[in-house]
Amino acid sequence: MLFRKKEEIDFFQLFIRSAENSFKASNLFREAIMGTNPASYLSQIKELENIGDELTHQIFRGLNKSQVSPLAREDIMELTLRLDDVIDGLEATISRFDYLNVQHTDKYMREFSEVLMNSCDHLVSAFKLLSNKKYMQIKEHIVEINSLENEGDRLMREGIREIFTRPKDPYHDFKLKELYERMEQTTDACEDVANVLESIVLRYA
């Protein structure tokens, strides 16, 4: 009786594709924030979020099919979920511009968009290094992502402080607070990926 050889799954390449997909979404998000109608980018970013979901499913299906994996199964699952949180955060933020009917951005949002784009860029670099087992070099990107997350915290605090020290229309102020907090949560999601990568570096380096 012949047995079919199990399909080889390149988890590292799927991670890279997922990180690159998030980076592409972050570039669109940056473009949206720097433009005049952020909500008009919703469908494009939603399309990338759907691609991200499919990559997540591919990784999980691969885990079910593979007897041997390049990392602990728990690490692969955690990296996959945390990466998915990043693009979900970008989509959730741009969705809020749509259903909250926010048509204008401010300096905090513009700075947030740069933080998110740079964070996603570092994630791509980190996963490319991971695929080549260059663990020590990953640390540089982890440090940068942590620093960017701190910048996101600062932007949220300053943005909310301005809302309460210079209140305007209460409905609009509520919308701004909602957006600042959601963007900060997305920088947290990037840091969550970096934290999982750091634990892998500590065990495999």
Side-chain angles (χ1 to χ4, degrees), residues 19-34 86 90 109-125 141 144-145 148-149 151-152 155 183 186-187 190:
E20 288 177 337
N21 190 56
S22 292
F23 179 57
K24 187 174 181 180
S26 73
N27 274 273
L28 277 175
F29 183 81
R30 169 74 170 164
E31 190 176 319
I33 298 301
M34 299 303 290
V86 174
L90 291 166
M109 297 175 191
R110 290 190 287 273
E111 289 184 42
F112 254 122
S113 70
E114 184 174 10
V115 166
L116 287 164
M117 184 179 67
N118 289 336
S119 296
C120 290
D121 191 19
H122 282 292
L123 286 176
V124 172
S125 298
H141 299 285
E144 291 297 328
I145 292 168
L148 287 163
E149 192 277 334
E151 179 67 6
L155 289 169
M183 283 188 258
T186 310
T187 64
C190 293

Side-chain angles (χ1 to χ4, degrees), residues 1 6-7 19 53 75 101 104 106 111 133 141-142 161 185 195 203-204:
M1 180 177 178
K6 283 187 175 288
E7 181 183 355
D53 284 344
D75 290 332
N101 193 29
H104 303 286
D106 58 29
E111 289 184 42
K133 297 182 172 61
H141 299 285
I142 291 171
R161 183 184 297 118
Q185 289 170 20
N195 289 339
R203 278 183 280 119
Y204 288 88

Side-chain angles (χ1 to χ4, degrees), residues 58 88 125 188:
Q58 283 185 45
D88 283 350
S125 298
D188 284 348

Side-chain angles (χ1 to χ4, degrees), residues 65 82 122 173:
K65 293 178 181 178
R82 299 291 75 82
H122 282 292
D173 288 346

Side-chain angles (χ1 to χ4, degrees), residues 12-24:
F12 289 136
Q13 285 304 310
L14 288 172
F15 282 143
I16 291 170
R17 286 174 59 193
S18 183
E20 288 177 337
N21 190 56
S22 292
F23 179 57
K24 187 174 181 180

Side-chain angles (χ1 to χ4, degrees), residues 47-110:
E47 184 177 340
L48 292 176
E49 193 262 340
N50 290 337
I51 292 172
D53 284 344
E54 176 54 32
L55 288 167
T56 294
H57 295 321
Q58 283 185 45
I59 293 171
F60 285 147
R61 287 196 298 268
L63 275 177
N64 288 331
K65 293 178 181 178
S66 300
Q67 293 180 328
V68 179
S69 57
L71 299 170
R73 294 173 69 87
E74 295 78 11
D75 290 332
I76 292 175
M77 291 177 65
E78 192 67 15
L79 281 175
T80 304
L81 291 170
R82 299 291 75 82
L83 260 175
D84 190 55
D85 287 343
V86 174
I87 196 161
D88 283 350
L90 291 166
E91 191 272 335
T93 306
I94 208 70
S95 292
R96 280 162 170 74
F97 279 95
D98 180 46
Y99 67 71
L100 293 174
N101 193 29
V102 177
Q103 299 176 3
H104 303 286
T105 60
D106 58 29
K107 63 178 181 179
Y108 300 111
M109 297 175 191
R110 290 190 287 273

Side-chain angles (χ1 to χ4, degrees), residues 9 40 69 108 122 127 147 159 161 182 200:
I9 306 297
S40 65
S69 57
Y108 300 111
H122 282 292
F127 277 103
S147 177
R161 183 184 297 118
R182 195 63 190 81
I200 291 170

